[in-house]
Amino acid sequence: MSSQTQAEEAIASNYSETDQHERKEDTEENHSLFSVKSILWHGGSVWDAWFSCASNQVAQVLLTLPYSFSQLGMLSGILFQIFYGLVGSWTAYLISVLYIEYRSRKEKENVNFKNHVIQWFEVLDGLLGPYWKAVGLAFNCTFLLFGSVIQLIACASNIYYINDHMDKRTWTYIFGACCATTVFIPSFHNYRIWSFLGLGMTTYTAWYMAAAALIHGQTEGVTHSAPTKLVLYFTGATNILYTFGGHAVTVEIMHAMWKPQKFKYIYLMATLYVFTLTIPSATAVYWAFGDELLNHSNAFSLLPKNGFRDAAVILMLIHQFITFGFACTPLYFVWEKVIGMHDTKSICLRALARLPVVIPIWFLAIIFPFFGPINSAVGALLVSFTVYIIPSLAHMLTYRKASARQAAAEKPPHFMPSWTAMYVINSFVVVWVLVVGFGFGGWASVTNFVRQVDTFGLFAKCYQCKPAGPPAGAKPPHSL
């Protein structure tokens, strides 16, 4: 029997009592199709993981991809989406391999994961030591923190397109309170219905954008001059790198599965579906509006206001609530472990313990209401390492010795001829993302940030909103 098969059997046979109980409930569903609790709450299948990955991969960034196309040009925009989508799928695969390796080693040591969710920094700690744990924890938590803040600001920005009677800061107060309810969702195991709904909402919005742009047609005198400047080019490329770098929660999603060893290609399948949403919508909107998008980073600001657009805005708002939960849940787990509440079974006690995580995020969204200029900076400075560089380096170092490769719980995939080929691909990912993503992308995003710093205002009541009493026929400024 191979070591890989033994590892899979060890993991499968050592599920916690809770997992076994819930799997039994799933079996009973075959005899009770109307078990609402099981259908809506208990999700640990391959399909649940696929919905979680696809739903979490593209949210608010769907509305900024046409803006990226106006910086990159049509051809580069499409090619970068395909390239970073495939690279992101590869590093998600590496993370899944390292998770299986870590868990199989711990299972052999009779470690019990009952009421404990394994996280990425723990995988790094178990395989490479405390220094890697510190690096992984710092990058992951910072990225997820900014991701949560961005979702709150985006909610206020989007609802403002429907109702501008209240300023964005007031909307941020309201949506901060709404998003705080995610403290009651115990883990990714319980995101079944939300992931399903979230993907449906993203699908509607993407195809609405494509259809609305095609029906609208090209604006008079439309031009497609991109790419024109290196700063804009690499800023757009970094935004796409950020788009397909949404697997900072891969380990948590895997741990919620009944059989996490089946995760290997789920992220790739999710990415292929996401391509059917991002490429047609971004292409159609850029075709219709061209260079005008350079001053309108949110696609909603150019699409005609009607019931279909309002429906898309509302659906994206709900989806951003879901995405906030995805980004915050790993932070909840980290905080629970710090204060010793992670193994508490009471949902109410855990929710109360999690509130200190939500409150700072809420206030940060109020203090810094301008996520447009810092979005690409987060991608270049955080996503580059969290999602691409660290997993590739960790995989190479974990299997650097022949004995580790021989005893590996997961061997190279069938389409990969050898370990050497894996090292070549991993090295390419590290060098490319370090030079293009972090280097050029960081330079471009920081340059763009500095150029716009004079427009920032801490605690801005309504950042880049239309001025009071605009002249008739004047168009309000648009922003994210």
Side-chain angles (χ1 to χ4, degrees):
M1 182 181 293
S2 67
S3 59
Q4 180 174 346
T5 304
Q6 291 175 340
E8 292 181 357
E9 289 183 354
I11 295 173
S13 63
N14 283 283
Y15 279 124
S16 68
E17 294 176 5
T18 303
D19 285 345
Q20 292 174 2
H21 174 69
E22 289 171 343
R23 282 202 295 170
K24 182 179 179 181
E25 288 184 350
D26 280 355
T27 302
E28 293 171 351
E29 281 184 41
N30 296 328
H31 304 287
S32 178
L33 298 178
F34 300 101
S35 176
V36 176
K37 183 178 179 181
S38 295
I39 293 173
L40 302 182
W41 194 247
H42 293 148
S45 68
V46 170
W47 280 106
D48 289 308
W50 183 84
F51 276 114
S52 293
C53 289
S55 177
N56 185 50
Q57 193 168 133
V58 175
Q60 174 70 16
V61 76
L62 180 70
L63 306 176
T64 68
L65 286 176
Y67 170 64
S68 297
F69 271 46
S70 71
Q71 298 170 318
L72 290 164
M74 186 82 76
L75 179 60
S76 290
I78 294 173
L79 291 178
F80 268 116
Q81 282 202 43
I82 295 173
F83 175 72
Y84 281 125
L86 295 178
V87 172
S89 299
W90 173 255
T91 54
Y93 168 78
L94 298 180
I95 292 172
S96 72
V97 169
L98 294 174
Y99 169 87
I100 294 297
E101 181 68 37
Y102 169 78
R103 184 160 181 174
S104 64
R105 292 183 186 183
K106 292 299 180 181
E107 299 288 2
K108 292 176 182 177
E109 298 172 5
N110 295 320
V111 175
N112 188 354
F113 292 110
K114 181 180 180 181
N115 298 325
H116 182 92
V117 176
I118 299 173
Q119 295 188 265
W120 176 229
F121 69 89
E122 293 170 319
V123 173
L124 291 174
D125 184 28
L127 297 178
L128 297 174
Y131 292 108
W132 278 87
K133 172 186 177 181
V135 171
L137 187 62
F139 274 103
N140 227 40
C141 288
T142 307
F143 169 43
L144 293 171
L145 176 70
F146 276 102
S148 302
V149 171
I150 285 171
Q151 294 308 317
L152 280 188
I153 302 171
C155 285
S157 177
N158 283 344
I159 193 63
Y160 193 75
Y161 288 116
I162 294 180
N163 186 335
D164 58 5
H165 296 300
M166 289 191 292
D167 57 76
K168 291 182 181 179
R169 187 170 67 187
T170 301
W171 281 119
T172 304
Y173 291 140
I174 295 171
F175 281 103
C178 293
C179 290
T181 59
T182 58
V183 298
F184 290 100
I185 303 177
S187 71
F188 286 99
H189 189 65
N190 311 112
Y191 268 95
R192 166 175 282 184
I193 186 63
W194 293 115
S195 297
F196 176 79
L197 292 175
L199 187 58
M201 295 166 186
T202 307
T203 301
Y204 170 86
T205 302
W207 285 109
Y208 154 74
M209 290 169 57
L214 292 175
I215 293 172
H216 177 276
Q218 290 187 314
T219 58
E220 185 177 353
V222 64
T223 57
H224 301 85
S225 59
T228 56
K229 298 179 180 179
L230 283 178
V231 170
L232 293 178
Y233 189 84
F234 285 108
T235 300
T238 304
N239 188 46
I240 294 180
L241 176 145
Y242 178 84
T243 301
F244 294 96
H247 44 285
V249 296
T250 298
V251 171
E252 288 84 357
I253 292 175
M254 284 188 68
H255 192 81
M257 296 178 65
W258 303 131
K259 296 182 178 180
Q261 65 269 22
K262 290 187 176 182
F263 182 87
K264 302 175 191 175
Y265 307 114
I266 288 177
Y267 197 88
L268 175 61
M269 296 299 105
T271 299
L272 294 178
Y273 178 79
V274 168
F275 282 157
T276 69
L277 306 180
T278 58
I279 294 177
S281 60
T283 301
V285 175
Y286 179 56
W287 168 83
F289 299 101
D291 292 346
E292 193 175 353
L293 284 159
L294 287 170
N295 299 316
H296 298 80
S297 52
N298 190 323
F300 281 151
S301 64
L302 288 174
L303 296 173
K305 184 174 182 179
N306 52 39
F308 293 106
R309 195 202 72 164
D310 290 350
V313 172
I314 293 171
L315 291 178
M316 283 304 294
L317 286 172
I318 300 173
H319 188 260
Q320 282 160 342
F321 162 80
I322 299 169
T323 306
F324 180 92
F326 271 108
C328 253
T329 299
L331 296 177
Y332 296 154
F333 293 155
V334 173
W335 177 247
E336 288 171 356
K337 293 170 184 177
V338 169
I339 64 175
M341 293 285 288
H342 188 58
D343 58 352
T344 302
K345 295 182 179 180
S346 171
I347 293 178
C348 292
L349 282 178
R350 291 182 70 182
L352 187 63
R354 290 173 170 187
L355 281 178
V357 177
V358 177
I359 293 173
I361 293 172
W362 196 357
F363 278 110
L364 284 173
I366 296 168
I367 297 171
F368 306 105
F370 38 81
F371 79 87
I374 66 174
N375 205 24
S376 59
V378 171
L381 305 179
L382 295 175
V383 176
S384 293
F385 285 93
T386 302
V387 172
Y388 299 97
I389 295 175
I390 291 177
S392 300
L393 287 176
H395 187 273
M396 289 191 289
L397 291 175
T398 298
Y399 298 109
R400 64 188 181 278
K401 296 181 180 178
S403 57
R405 294 192 293 272
Q406 185 175 2
E410 290 285 341
K411 304 300 183 183
H414 61 83
F415 57 83
M416 194 65 59
S418 65
W419 283 98
T420 302
M422 294 196 71
Y423 269 74
V424 170
I425 294 177
N426 289 342
S427 299
F428 170 77
V429 171
V430 171
V431 173
W432 176 275
V433 176
L434 191 62
V435 174
V436 178
F438 177 73
F440 287 106
W443 162 74
S445 59
V446 171
T447 300
N448 184 51
F449 184 91
V450 170
R451 286 178 179 176
Q452 300 186 53
V453 71
D454 291 336
T455 69
F456 299 163
L458 300 183
F459 295 100
K461 189 173 183 179
C462 205
Y463 179 67
Q464 290 188 341
C465 295
K466 63 183 180 182
K475 292 184 177 180
H478 297 278
S479 73
L480 281 173

